[in-house]
Amino acid sequence: MTTAQPFTSPGAPMRHHAARDLTPSTGSPGHAAPTERTGLWLVGARGSVATTATLGLAVLAPGHAAPTGCVTAQPEFDAVPLPRFDDLVVGGHDLSPGPMVKRAEALVEAGMIAPRLLSAARNGLEAADAEVRPGYDPRGHDGSQLEAAERLAADIVAFRDRHALARVVVVDLASTEPPVEPRPEHDDVAALLTALADPAQAVLPPSSVTAYAAVLAGTPYAAFTPSAGMTIPALTRLATQAGLPVAGQDGKTGQTWLRTVLAPAFAARGLRVLSWAGSNLLGGGDGATLADPQNVRSKLATKSRGLRDLTGSDVTPLHIDNVPDLGDLKVAWDHVHVEGFLGTRLTLQTTWSAFDSMLAAPYVLDLARLLALAHAAGLAGPVPELGFFFKEPWASDTHDAAAQARDLHAWAGGLGALVASRTGA
């Protein structure tokens, strides 16, 4: 991955094939104030995280709730020209026909969301649900993957034009996929585009078809899952060439975030981590998805890599169990074994219990606001300073949560000043 760079020639999003006109009729990538209306396009829009983010936005915008847990609502961002919560308009793709309101009602019954908040958000949920379009399912698709990506991109462009949005930010919240097997086309833009146009080939996993659709639509993109998405090198190059900031990978919301807070503290004390074992218990859709031994490989890789880098140890086993009765509640245990002065042994044990969607949803809103800022400033390619939000940050080797927070604050402040100077704000 390459570090995000200023994109100096803003214009219409790239059209790698002429089969369909996806050129935007409003806005351009760069040089527009991000305080204009901004689209938030959620892949997996009817899932728990997306529904929670949409419900949260519906109650934050009119002031029915405080933005607790939103990083961008902190004082460090007060002077940064981010889109306001009431500037954000939600749409998305999903394979499920079940409406957001029904998912929200289930979350209320589970004790995750207060009934009064659902009452306040019902109209907002229904409006967002009306903007959800069918996602890409390779099992039911007849045609090339290019045609699938163009259909998805056309949905995003139509959403932007329908609401006269300055820009749209795509955030992938879909279920975790198995790791992708590398293919030569993944490293070669021309070969990839040729393969995508061939109905006889399926060269990309569904998450990467979605990522390519974001490129075709000219939208910034964030990968909140460990699925391949934009990590295909040719797609990253296409996004960079199109002047699109992208960020990922796999949201760092709970156990992994706590690990990246604690591990640097041990290092600062000169203590040596001997082993760091962990276990996750979770139910709901994520639990069922990660019960698949192939799907869980992607999650285990992203959850472990940062901790190995921070501790310098490979002794970091992690186990994930599906416990259906937990629903959206996740329980995470850690056992840390440390060597101290004169060989003495120290042990730290932690238990983390939280509704995972409540941890992830504010990050989704943060990423929409920050990627809108990056797009307005003309950045292109992976944005390393957004690594604070991810287990495996693109274009960055920094995993220390405190260092990531400092980088994020400095980056947002500097970029905000640049955008303000351009727009006269």
Side-chain angles (χ1 to χ4, degrees), residues 69-240:
C70 290
V71 173
T72 54
Q74 296 180 86
E76 291 86 350
F77 296 88
D78 285 350
V80 181
L82 299 171
R84 299 182 302 269
F85 290 119
D86 58 4
D87 289 323
L88 298 178
V89 183
V90 179
H93 283 122
D94 206 308
L95 299 178
S96 171
M100 284 186 182
V101 168
K102 290 298 182 184
R103 177 58 65 94
E105 289 173 350
L107 297 176
V108 169
E109 290 176 6
M112 185 176 125
I113 294 173
R116 66 175 181 83
L117 295 180
L118 175 56
S119 297
R122 186 173 292 272
N123 289 342
L125 286 168
E126 290 174 348
D129 197 70
E131 297 292 346
V132 177
R133 301 295 181 264
Y136 167 63
D137 185 348
R139 297 167 297 183
H141 176 68
D142 183 18
S144 70
Q145 287 193 315
L146 168 64
E147 292 171 326
E150 287 183 327
R151 175 182 67 80
L152 300 177
D155 290 338
I156 299 169
V157 170
F159 169 71
R160 186 199 57 230
D161 292 349
R162 188 162 54 250
H163 293 280
L165 304 171
R167 55 184 52 79
V168 178
V169 176
V170 173
V171 181
D172 188 352
L173 301 170
S175 297
T176 299
E177 299 170 347
V180 64
E181 294 297 327
R183 297 178 52 147
E185 296 91 340
H186 293 171
D187 287 306
D188 186 318
V189 169
L192 177 63
L193 297 181
T194 298
L196 287 173
D198 183 355
Q201 296 196 57
V203 70
L204 293 179
S207 63
S208 297
V209 173
T210 295
Y212 182 49
V215 175
L216 288 176
T219 61
Y221 167 93
F224 211 76
T225 80
S227 302
M230 192 70 74
T231 61
I232 303 297
L235 291 182
T236 305
R237 288 196 287 275
L238 288 171
T240 304

Side-chain angles (χ1 to χ4, degrees), residues 333-356:
W333 296 324
D334 274 297
H335 182 282
V336 192
H337 198 203
V338 179
E339 181 182 18
F341 189 55
L342 302 181
T344 188
R345 300 300 171 90
L346 313 173
T347 297
L348 172 68
Q349 295 178 335
T350 67
T351 300
W352 176 281
S353 181
F355 288 108
D356 218 29

